[in-house]
Amino acid sequence: QVQLVESGGGLVQAGDSLRLSCAASGRTFSRYVMGWFRQAPGKEREVVAAIRSSDGMTEYADSVKGRFTIASDNAKNKLFLQMNNLKPEDTAVYYCTAGSGPDDMDYWGKGTLVTVSS
């Protein structure tokens, strides 16, 4: 079992930056692919970014490439999402996840709300 707790969400203006954090406990962090998903009101949940903890390989949704950066601290079992140049369309609940890959995430946090005003 892996427990995930997100933090760092809030209300910001367009163009601002925000850093999300996720604290993981339970099984060894480095054995999983870790990811951030988001779900905006009235929309389907989508993957934002993922990182393979074993070697640091990352992937991003096209909509956030060049603006968001995912990183992990395996020693501290923490996952981060640095979000720059935020846009109103980034408004969503952001979830920290862990699993075998973006299409097979077994563990989910409760989410943290990010609201970007125009």
Side-chain angles (χ1 to χ4, degrees):
Q1 286 289 334
V2 176
Q3 292 78 42
L4 304 169
V5 179
E6 305 94 339
S7 61
L11 173 62
V12 297
Q13 293 185 333
D16 285 351
S17 297
L18 205 58
R19 188 191 194 208
L20 304 183
S21 298
C22 173
S25 60
R27 290 186 173 179
T28 305
F29 191 79
S30 61
R31 66 184 291 171
Y32 293 104
V33 171
M34 305 295 296
W36 290 97
F37 282 65
R38 68 185 180 186
Q39 186 165 21
K43 294 187 177 181
E44 293 187 357
R45 189 167 56 195
E46 61 175 353
V47 59
V48 175
I51 184 169
R52 190 161 61 196
S53 301
S54 59
D55 61 7
M57 183 169 291
T58 60
E59 61 179 86
Y60 296 91
D62 288 342
S63 60
V64 306
K65 282 181 181 176
R67 299 189 299 121
F68 290 11
T69 303
I70 188 171
S72 65
D73 184 335
N74 289 353
K76 296 183 178 180
N77 277 8
K78 288 196 172 182
L79 182 71
F80 305 99
L81 184 68
Q82 178 66 42
M83 304 185 293
N84 298 330
N85 190 23
L86 282 161
K87 303 176 180 180
E89 51 264 42
D90 295 318
T91 294
V93 177
Y94 285 72
Y95 298 92
C96 176
T97 67
S100 302
D103 295 327
D104 189 19
M105 291 302 197
D106 298 315
Y107 304 102
W108 294 76
K110 293 184 177 180
T112 185
L113 177 62
V114 173
T115 304
V116 185
S117 63
S118 57

